[in-house]
Amino acid sequence: MEFQFANLADFLTMDGHGVFVWVSYAVTFLSLAGMALYPYIARRGLKAELVRQQKIAQRRRQAVSERTVTTKKETAEEPV
């Protein structure tokens, strides 16, 4: 078996086609890395949004319950 290129520089330049070859490899690997990382990043964002919405819902429930307690106290204290 014979190696096609005499040295590393010839391998990297590939008779003038090296730029196109290495750029295409870089684009491919970056795209694959992006597709692998996107679900992780999106999941983190969705988790943060869910936590934010849960805190808002909890504050609303607490406000409603406080209003209900205050209303019950006011109606109990009013003279009939």
Side-chain angles (χ1 to χ4, degrees), residues 9-43:
D10 287 343
F11 174 69
L12 293 175
T13 58
M14 293 186 184
D15 292 331
H17 300 288
V19 173
F20 304 108
V21 171
W22 298 118
V23 168
S24 66
Y25 272 117
V27 168
T28 300
F29 288 125
L30 288 174
S31 298
L32 290 172
M35 287 189 292
L37 290 175
Y38 179 76
Y40 173 74
I41 294 168
R43 183 177 179 182

Side-chain angles (χ1 to χ4, degrees), residues 15-80:
D15 292 331
H17 300 288
V19 173
F20 304 108
V21 171
W22 298 118
V23 168
S24 66
Y25 272 117
V27 168
T28 300
F29 288 125
L30 288 174
S31 298
L32 290 172
M35 287 189 292
L37 290 175
Y38 179 76
Y40 173 74
I41 294 168
R43 183 177 179 182
R44 283 181 45 196
L46 289 173
K47 276 186 173 181
E49 178 65 20
L50 180 62
V51 167
R52 187 183 71 77
Q53 287 179 0
Q54 287 174 341
K55 285 181 182 178
I56 291 171
Q58 182 180 6
R59 278 186 258 148
R60 284 183 181 164
R61 283 191 303 269
Q62 185 177 4
V64 167
S65 67
E66 287 174 1
R67 248 186 280 138
T68 306
V69 169
T70 333
T71 306
K72 286 181 181 178
K73 284 182 182 177
E74 289 174 357
T75 56
E77 295 174 357
E78 290 180 6
V80 178

